[in-house]
């Protein structure tokens, strides 16, 4: 079986998702990392965050591409969920890094996690691989939640 990749949609979803992540990092002040914030000892080095988020955004973009290419009646709802979680994801660094609203950021992160899980379930209904590609994202959000809670207690 030969799989034909449609490069324009693939680039749209992957580069678009990466662009949202990059812009979020700049607007949210994440480039400064955890400067001025007391962090737990399990906090990864800044380079780990950059690498992890780049990989996660690529996986997210490929996942959205797979759903987009599946066509069908369920794709619009699933992609709307995807865009919604991406918007919520975009704002988290603003709340956490720029505003230092750590408790609100944790609540926002819970909203994000719920949206991503729902998106993964909807994606899996359309293209199982698309749903599975979001699992590392969900796991990273769980780790981010632990870090966020620890930052609340330390600050």
């Amino acid at each position: 079986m030969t799989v034909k990749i449609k490069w324009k949609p693939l680039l749209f979803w992957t580069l678009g998702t990466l662009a949202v992540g990059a812009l979020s990092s700049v607007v949210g002040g994440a480039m400064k990392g955890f400067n001025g914030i007391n962090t737990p000892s399990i906090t990864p080095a800044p380079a780990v965050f950059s690498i992890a988020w780049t990989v996660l955004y690529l996986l997210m973009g490929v996942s959205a591409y797979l759903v987009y290419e599946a066509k069908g009646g369920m794709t619009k709802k699933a992609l709307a969920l995807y865009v919604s979680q991406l918007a919520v994801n975009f704002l988290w660094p603003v709340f956490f890094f720029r505003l230092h609203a750590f408790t609100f950021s944790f609540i926002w992160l819970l909203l994000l996690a719920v949206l991503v899980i729902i998106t993964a379930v909807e994606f899996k209904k359309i293209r199982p691989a698309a749903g599975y590609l979001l699992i590392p994202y969900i796991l990273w959000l769980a780790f981010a939640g632990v870090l966020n809670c620890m930052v609340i207690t330390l600050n």
Side-chain angles (χ1 to χ4, degrees):
M1 180 177 148
T2 304
V3 176
K4 185 175 190 280
I5 297 172
K6 295 182 182 172
W7 290 102
K8 283 183 182 178
L10 177 61
L11 290 174
F12 171 81
W13 288 104
T14 55
L15 295 180
T17 301
L18 282 166
V20 168
L23 185 60
S24 171
S25 179
V26 171
V27 171
M31 298 301 271
K32 297 174 187 168
F34 289 99
N35 292 344
I37 300 171
N38 295 320
T39 59
S41 60
I42 63 168
T43 303
V48 173
F49 283 103
S50 297
I51 293 166
W53 276 111
T54 299
V55 169
L56 292 171
Y57 283 126
L58 285 171
L59 292 174
M60 291 162 58
V62 170
S63 181
Y65 162 76
L66 291 174
V67 169
Y68 174 81
E69 284 302 311
K71 308 286 188 246
M74 294 172 40
T75 60
K76 285 184 181 179
K77 174 187 172 190
L79 291 171
L81 280 166
Y82 177 80
V83 170
S84 297
Q85 68 79 27
L86 199 56
V88 171
N89 178 310
F90 177 88
L91 291 171
W92 185 88
V94 174
F95 300 139
F96 188 87
F97 292 113
R98 177 93 41 209
L99 301 177
H100 289 192
F102 304 129
T103 301
F104 181 79
S105 297
F106 178 72
I107 295 165
W108 196 259
L109 189 65
L110 292 177
L111 170 64
L112 176 58
V114 168
L115 283 171
V116 174
I117 290 167
I118 293 169
T119 301
V121 168
E122 291 301 313
F123 275 23
K124 185 176 179 287
K125 290 176 186 175
I126 298 165
R127 295 280 300 265
Y132 295 135
L133 284 172
L134 295 180
I135 291 173
Y137 182 25
I138 294 165
L139 295 174
W140 185 259
L141 291 176
F143 177 63
V146 170
L147 286 177
N148 196 152
C149 281
M150 294 176 89
V151 165
I152 291 168
T153 62
L154 293 172
N155 289 276

